[in-house]
Amino acid sequence: MTSLLTQEQWDILDGMRSNLGLAADLAQAKISLILPLDRSRQLCASAAQLSGKRKAKAGGDICFLSVFDQAEPLTRSENTEPEEMTRAADEPLMTQALAENTVTEGFREVAPGQFARLKVYPICDGHNRCFAAAAFEDREADVVFWDATMDFLHGSKTDYASNSCYRRLSSIDGLVLVNARDGLILAANNAARHIYRVLGVGHLVGRRTSSEEINWNGIDNVLYTGTAEEQELQKKGLFLDFRFIPLHAAGGIERIIVVIEDVTQLKLKDEELRVKAAVIREIHHRVKNNLQTIASLLRLEQRRAASEETKVVLRDSINRISSIALVHEYLSGQGTELVDINELGNGVYRTVMSSMKTPDLELEMKFSADNLRLPSQQAASLALVLNELLQNALEHGFENRKKGTLTAAISRLDEDGGNREKLQGKAAEAAQYSGNAKKETTDRLLLLVKDDGVGLPAGFDLQKTKSLGLKIVQTVVQSDLKGTFSLEPRTDGNGTVAKVVIHI
């Protein structure tokens, strides 16, 4: 249908279509781009050839009208399906505008006994050939911005989408039309008048934008650069966002549309959120300090303890408290309830190694984690589990050993066809331990701690163990993390592998 359009005509229509939604918001009206069709329902070439000097009988060769595109304002959308094609005889105003290359205006019956105001603008190329039309229609017609909106459509470009100034409007946005030559306000909608009544300015229309009450310096910037501009101003307790959109004509910028958005409530909510975030960070900071104070007191008791068993119990308790304190330390610095697992895991790993690794043990240590973040509650539980598994490995895995290897990895589980699982990123080396269990969800996390130590004792049963650390792991994994925990001999040699799988 559009194959008869020249490249210039197609570019004009494409630019209009890309900004038709914003135009409908500015006009507060439904806008339809109309193409004339002949009897064979092809683009009507004769209508496209008419010039301003030569007119034909209205609707001479136009038999049908086709809707190229259509948009309704967000604030008044009736969600009606556009008629793709209609008979020219049923739309006399549209047909006349196309055939005579002139603006037509009147009323259109949209339902029995119900009429909407209709204004149709011809769309012409550089040779003044009318090849399409833009029809503005609204039942609650406020036509003051229709001419300006048509000027905006004439200058529309497809690259406007990348400019935030050309985003669509809301029902409470103010609209003001300004004469670019002298800065005189030509028109203002009810929302704009209401905003400025709150600011103590009784009448907008007739004032100049350079006046003390208005003072929109964005107008001068737009005239200088020729491009749309956005500014945020604070006036008498109101936060207002201004968008200055130039309307280009042959001689330059003739008028400017100003969109005024009251963002006061958004600013107040943002400020409230910032205050709450600061309070939350302070709370995490104080909790971290309190936990570290408790750990320091326990260290004093550890040094004073005469029994080696008491010292071990206090050391394990200090490590548990320190692991939880690490979570609050990260939360106090990041200002978010999400914790970076890589940073947290490394912190726990260093804490345990520094407190438990004996100088005579030559230990190859390695920790790795995928790039993921968890909510603070899950992160705290995971840190405690990692702490217990590392402590257990160091305490029991390398007894009477002079050297060994201890590694830990945290990774996300993904599906690799069927029910097989694979590990992404740094934990790929641990894939042999992921098992073939049926995958319930793609959002699962795997924690592996493995050593090449002495291994599990004969007849070991995890369910019957008396180890406090392992009981803590079982309880936290099952109750808090809703996951599974297993402790098994390594299949590739001596040692033990602990595996925790949780849903995230």
Side-chain angles (χ1 to χ4, degrees):
M1 180 189 301
T2 57
S3 59
L4 292 179
L5 291 174
T6 66
Q7 186 61 48
E8 179 195 10
Q9 292 169 347
W10 172 257
D11 290 343
I12 292 173
L13 276 183
D14 196 33
M16 289 185 173
R17 176 171 59 181
S18 64
N19 298 285
L20 200 60
L22 174 59
D25 292 342
L26 295 175
Q28 293 292 281
K30 180 171 70 174
I31 304 178
S32 305
L33 299 180
I34 307 297
L35 293 175
L37 306 182
D38 59 20
R39 192 175 301 278
S40 60
R41 302 195 180 188
Q42 296 298 313
L43 189 65
C44 190
S46 61
Q49 300 300 321
L50 295 176
S51 67
K53 297 179 180 179
R54 173 171 167 249
K55 296 184 179 181
K57 182 180 178 181
D61 295 315
I62 304 175
C63 296
F64 299 96
L65 301 177
S66 174
V67 177
F68 177 75
D69 203 353
Q70 187 177 92
E72 296 187 46
L74 292 177
T75 55
R76 294 187 190 175
S77 177
E78 298 179 2
N79 296 318
T80 56
E81 290 293 331
E83 296 182 17
E84 294 184 1
M85 191 175 300
T86 186
R87 296 179 62 86
D90 296 333
E91 299 291 351
L93 291 175
M94 297 182 190
T95 305
Q96 182 182 355
L98 284 162
E100 298 185 358
N101 191 9
T102 185
V103 177
T104 59
E105 188 173 3
F107 292 89
R108 178 173 182 264
E109 190 171 18
V110 294
Q114 298 183 22
F115 293 86
R117 192 173 192 85
L118 179 68
K119 192 169 185 178
V120 188
Y121 300 83
I123 301 173
C124 301
D125 58 18
H127 300 284
N128 200 31
R129 291 194 297 261
C130 175
F131 63 93
F136 289 62
E137 177 184 322
D138 191 68
R139 297 187 190 185
E140 304 172 17
D142 183 5
V143 300
V144 65
F145 287 95
W146 286 11
D147 291 343
T149 301
M150 193 60 205
D151 290 341
F152 165 73
L153 277 177
H154 273 307
S156 286
K157 299 178 182 179
T158 54
D159 59 358
Y160 281 169
S162 61
N163 190 331
S164 63
C165 291
Y166 293 93
R167 65 185 181 272
R168 299 195 66 173
L169 278 63
S170 71
S171 59
I172 59 174
D173 288 346
L175 279 176
V176 177
L177 186 62
V178 177
N179 188 331
R181 297 192 194 93
D182 53 13
L184 191 68
I185 295 178
L186 303 176
N189 70 351
N190 289 332
R193 290 194 292 267
H194 172 73
I195 291 172
Y196 270 85
R197 274 197 298 269
V198 173
L199 296 175
V201 180
H203 299 281
L204 276 177
V205 177
R207 292 181 182 269
R208 299 193 184 275
T209 58
S210 58
S211 65
E212 184 178 353
E213 299 90 345
I214 308 299
N215 192 24
W216 293 343
N217 56 13
I219 296 288
D220 295 331
N221 296 340
V222 170
L223 292 174
Y224 179 76
T225 63
T227 58
E229 183 168 315
E230 185 169 9
Q231 290 184 351
E232 189 174 291
L233 301 175
Q234 184 178 3
K235 293 175 176 287
K236 297 184 179 180
L238 293 183
F239 292 91
L240 302 175
D241 182 88
F242 290 84
R243 285 184 274 161
F244 302 96
I245 301 175
L247 302 179
H248 295 273
I253 301 174
E254 292 189 353
R255 290 177 292 181
I256 295 174
I257 290 180
V258 183
V259 180
I260 309 172
E261 182 179 358
D262 186 350
V263 294
T264 305
Q265 292 303 316
L266 292 177
K267 287 293 182 181
L268 293 177
K269 286 183 179 179
D270 286 344
E271 182 62 26
E272 182 181 348
L273 290 175
R274 281 194 290 269
V275 171
K276 286 183 178 179
V279 171
I280 291 172
R281 287 198 300 270
E282 180 62 22
I283 290 173
H284 284 303
H285 181 70
R286 294 188 182 186
V287 170
K288 182 258 299 184
N289 288 344
N290 290 340
L291 290 174
Q292 289 180 338
T293 300
I294 294 172
S296 298
L297 293 174
L298 292 178
R299 287 192 188 95
L300 292 175
E301 292 294 336
Q302 184 185 24
R303 296 191 189 102
R304 292 164 54 89
S307 167
E308 187 64 29
E309 181 180 358
T310 302
K311 290 184 178 181
V312 171
V313 171
L314 290 173
R315 180 203 64 196
D316 292 347
S317 298
I318 292 170
N319 284 341
R320 289 164 185 151
I321 293 171
S322 298
S323 298
I324 298 173
L326 278 173
V327 176
H328 293 282
E329 181 178 357
Y330 290 125
L331 292 174
S332 67
Q334 296 173 357
T336 174
E337 283 299 302
L338 295 176
V339 179
D340 188 309
I341 295 303
N342 194 6
E343 291 185 16
L344 176 62
N346 272 297
V348 173
Y349 196 82
R350 289 192 299 268
T351 299
V352 174
M353 292 303 166
S354 64
S355 65
M356 293 191 63
K357 180 181 173 295
T358 58
D360 59 340
L361 175 60
E362 183 182 339
L363 191 63
E364 180 183 344
M365 303 174 293
K366 182 181 179 183
F367 174 81
S368 61
D370 283 349
N371 184 24
L372 54 91
R373 301 164 74 86
L374 291 183
S376 58
Q377 185 173 355
Q378 273 189 312
S381 298
L382 188 64
L384 184 57
V385 168
L386 177 60
N387 173 81
E388 296 301 328
L389 293 178
L390 291 174
Q391 287 188 164
N392 184 71
L394 285 171
E395 185 173 354
H396 302 291
F398 299 100
E399 190 175 359
N400 301 321
R401 297 282 296 272
K402 296 299 183 183
K403 62 186 304 184
T405 302
L406 176 60
T407 63
I410 300 175
S411 62
R412 187 188 296 273
L413 284 174
D414 266 345
E415 193 171 31
D416 187 19
N419 290 326
R420 295 187 58 193
E421 296 168 337
K422 69 177 181 178
L423 297 181
Q424 300 269 351
K426 300 177 180 178
E429 61 176 326
Q432 58 182 308
Y433 298 108
S434 63
N436 294 317
K438 186 175 181 180
K439 187 178 173 74
E440 296 177 0
T441 175
T442 57
D443 294 326
R444 294 200 291 172
L445 180 145
L446 172 67
L447 165 62
L448 284 177
V449 177
K450 57 179 180 175
D451 63 73
D452 60 356
V454 298
L456 297 172
F460 174 81
D461 186 348
L462 182 59
Q463 304 303 322
K464 298 180 181 179
T465 182
K466 295 182 179 179
S467 167
L468 176 60
L470 293 180
K471 286 185 177 296
I472 289 175
V473 172
Q474 285 180 293
T475 301
V476 172
V477 170
Q478 294 173 6
S479 301
D480 294 347
L481 298 175
K482 310 300 180 185
T484 59
F485 166 54
S486 63
L487 189 64
E488 302 169 351
R490 288 181 60 165
T491 59
D492 58 347
N494 295 329
T496 307
V497 58
K499 182 175 75 170
V500 174
V501 178
I502 66 173
H503 296 284
I504 57 176

